[in-house]
Amino acid sequence: MLKKPDWLRIPHKHSPNQAAVEALLESLQLNTVCQEANCPNYAECFSQKTATIMILGANCTRDCRFCNVRHAEPTPVDPEEPMRVAEAVKALGLRYVVITSVTRDDLPDGGTMQFAQVIQAIRNTTPGTAIEVLIPDFMGNPSALAQVIAAAPNVISHNMETVAALYPQIRPGADYVRSLTILHQIKTQNPAVRSKSGIMLGFGETEEQVLQLFDDLLEVGCEFLTIGQYLAPSKAHYPVQSYVTPAQFEAYGAAARAKGFAFVASAPLVRSSYHAGEALGL
């Protein structure tokens, strides 16, 4: 186990806002990826009255080696969930919200109908809220993905997570080309929707592989990019191979901007949903 460097140590400061957000989400029976994935920015975001809501339950049908979300039997789709999500967005006064989900390979549409209904419920309740959805790959089903695109959120994000060579070790069940195809479909079917992806460093990737990933993303029309440090949730997860320095993150960010991404966030504690509204100037 590598020793965590000082720049990754976050002092915990509990705030009344954090407790209020936790209570609201519990009362509405909503999950967040902030809590389920053990995000290092969890306390900060909740203290600022923001959260990334995770729909379709808390149990994932896949078992990616980097992820802390439970791999277990999925729960039934809740038809009341879209309205509860909209209630939470309104209660928190969110100008920008990120909605994500567990992967639901057990559902014929992968859960896209639920995404579409959540988007519509938010539009009906707080029409001024900008919406980003962070989606799984829906097994590459183009007609399923089309339902989400047709719902026209402001941003559709699909994380590549790592470089092509590491997919077999890091993302069993996923496919590099399939994920690129999803991002390409977004831009070809609705150019007005902004496309986004996120990656983590520290899995053992090389600089050449990372730069190739940048090129691959740009080729399929990806506009926004986040780059952060992988932190193993436990000893049972894929071990961290390296801690990338803040200076190296700055260099990768500069390289991505120079290549043509419209927005890049690159720093050790950056996560795909962290301060996500900044990409749209919010």
Side-chain angles (χ1 to χ4, degrees), residues 31-33 36 53-62 67 69-72 74-75 81 99-107 110-111 115 134-138:
N31 301 300
T32 69
V33 74
E36 299 299 331
I53 297 172
M54 188 171 74
I55 63 173
L56 292 165
N59 296 340
C60 189
T61 56
R62 295 194 194 170
C67 186
V69 176
R70 288 190 300 273
H71 170 64
T75 54
E81 184 177 55
I99 307 297
T100 190
S101 79
V102 291
T103 298
R104 294 294 302 262
D105 292 332
D106 60 306
L107 301 174
F115 268 105
L134 172 57
I135 61 172
D137 64 19
F138 307 127

Side-chain angles (χ1 to χ4, degrees), residues 66-86:
F66 65 87
C67 186
N68 196 55
V69 176
R70 288 190 300 273
H71 170 64
E73 187 73 22
T75 54
V77 176
D78 182 353
E80 302 301 321
E81 184 177 55
M83 279 309 305
R84 296 202 309 275
V85 172

Side-chain angles (χ1 to χ4, degrees), residues 160-272:
M160 297 298 294
E161 307 293 7
T162 189
V163 299
L166 293 176
Y167 260 56
Q169 300 99 298
I170 306 301
R171 300 195 70 194
D175 181 85
Y176 186 82
V177 173
R178 180 198 296 163
S179 287
L180 287 174
T181 302
I182 287 168
L183 292 162
H184 184 253
Q185 185 178 341
I186 295 165
K187 295 311 296 180
T188 54
Q189 290 194 4
N190 191 344
V193 174
R194 312 305 294 270
S195 59
K196 175 181 175 181
S197 191
I199 65 169
M200 294 180 288
L201 304 180
F203 287 121
E205 66 287 327
T206 67
E207 180 179 350
E208 181 181 10
Q209 290 170 334
V210 174
L211 295 178
Q212 181 60 58
L213 174 53
F214 292 172
D215 290 339
D216 292 343
L217 284 169
L218 287 167
E219 188 175 348
V220 296
C222 184
E223 300 165 274
F224 301 158
L225 176 66
T226 63
I227 311 169
Q229 170 70 52
Y230 168 60
L231 299 172
S234 75
K235 292 181 180 180
H237 290 80
Y238 193 84
V240 176
Q241 302 299 303
S242 65
Y243 288 114
V244 179
T245 67
Q248 289 174 299
F249 272 102
E250 288 183 14
Y252 275 124
R257 293 182 194 97
K259 283 177 175 289
F261 286 96
F263 175 84
V264 180
S266 180
L269 291 172
V270 163
R271 294 297 180 266
S272 57

